[in-house]
Amino acid sequence: MATDRRILLADAAIGVLADMGTRGLTHRAVDRAAGLPSGTTSAYYRTRQALLTALVRRLVDLDQAELESAGAAAPVPRDAGELAARIAALAERRLTGDGRRRTLARYACAIESVRHPELRDILVPRENAARAAVRDFLAARGVAHPEERTVTLLTCVDGLVFDRLVNGGEVGEREVLGLVAAALR
């Protein structure tokens, strides 16, 4: 029961952060968003830092689950077009619905991690099936240093997601195909 309550509060905190920004992330705001009595969040997470840490851990868990599922759903892409389509689809999920809210919260947490290195340690990209599929695709095509190229490619895609989150629009397959082609060179 306590674990379920902690997850509920962390999920509510993600929503509050996405909707109201870092200044709006308070124990009371999370209580309201979770539909729980005032004081509940502070009973589970005594400090704002504890709440923020729980929120970041939950974000990483949700992201990892999404990336594992995306990578496990299909084998290593057959060609650059298929890889670009998969990456563009994932980028689209990051820009719409719950994915958008998580993305907004993730970027807010990334900024907070500049002042709180313990958050940075939690946010470090982890191995998952989607990342492995990209790396395996590049390695199968003889790309030197496929791990480094994977990091560069995915960082560029993340930059596109950030740009579209701020400025509007979508991350198109054609745009991603250009990044995949650059990674293959």
Side-chain angles (χ1 to χ4, degrees):
M1 178 72 164
T3 301
D4 292 343
R5 181 67 54 98
R6 287 181 183 281
I7 290 171
L8 173 68
L9 292 169
D11 287 344
I14 291 168
V16 169
L17 184 58
D19 295 342
M20 300 169 48
T22 54
R23 289 186 179 212
L25 182 64
T26 65
H27 287 80
R28 282 190 181 147
V30 174
D31 287 339
R32 281 192 301 274
L36 295 171
S38 184
T40 303
T41 302
S42 62
Y44 285 88
Y45 303 110
R46 301 295 287 156
T47 65
R48 185 174 193 281
Q49 191 59 37
L51 177 60
L52 196 54
T53 298
L55 179 163
V56 170
R57 287 187 194 286
R58 180 67 175 151
L59 267 174
V60 168
D61 288 348
L62 292 169
D63 285 348
Q64 282 295 103
E66 178 184 45
L67 293 168
E68 281 296 332
S69 176
V76 174
R78 292 177 301 235
D79 57 38
E82 187 177 328
L83 178 60
R86 287 187 198 175
I87 292 173
L90 180 61
E92 182 63 23
R93 288 194 299 274
R94 296 279 167 103
L95 291 169
T96 57
D98 284 339
R100 178 180 175 80
R101 294 180 88 209
R102 285 199 334 262
T103 301
L104 285 165
R106 184 181 317 100
Y107 288 133
C109 291
I111 297 298
E112 282 294 311
S113 77
V114 171
R115 290 180 235 22
H116 301 283
E118 67 278 7
L119 296 179
R120 190 175 334 122
D121 293 342
I122 300 167
L123 287 167
V124 167
R126 289 168 170 64
E127 184 62 26
N128 56 64
R131 182 184 182 115
V134 172
R135 185 184 54 247
D136 294 349
F137 173 83
L138 295 175
R141 275 136 191 91
V143 170
H145 312 291
E147 178 62 32
E148 291 172 21
R149 291 281 178 98
T150 298
V151 170
T152 300
L153 172 59
L154 296 179
T155 300
C156 289
V157 171
D158 194 44
L160 288 174
V161 169
F162 180 81
D163 177 73
R164 299 318 160 12
L165 189 66
V166 172
N167 297 310
E170 61 184 39
V171 176
E173 282 182 43
R174 189 171 176 191
E175 208 167 13
V176 176
L177 185 57
L179 295 174
V180 171
L184 288 169
R185 285 195 286 274

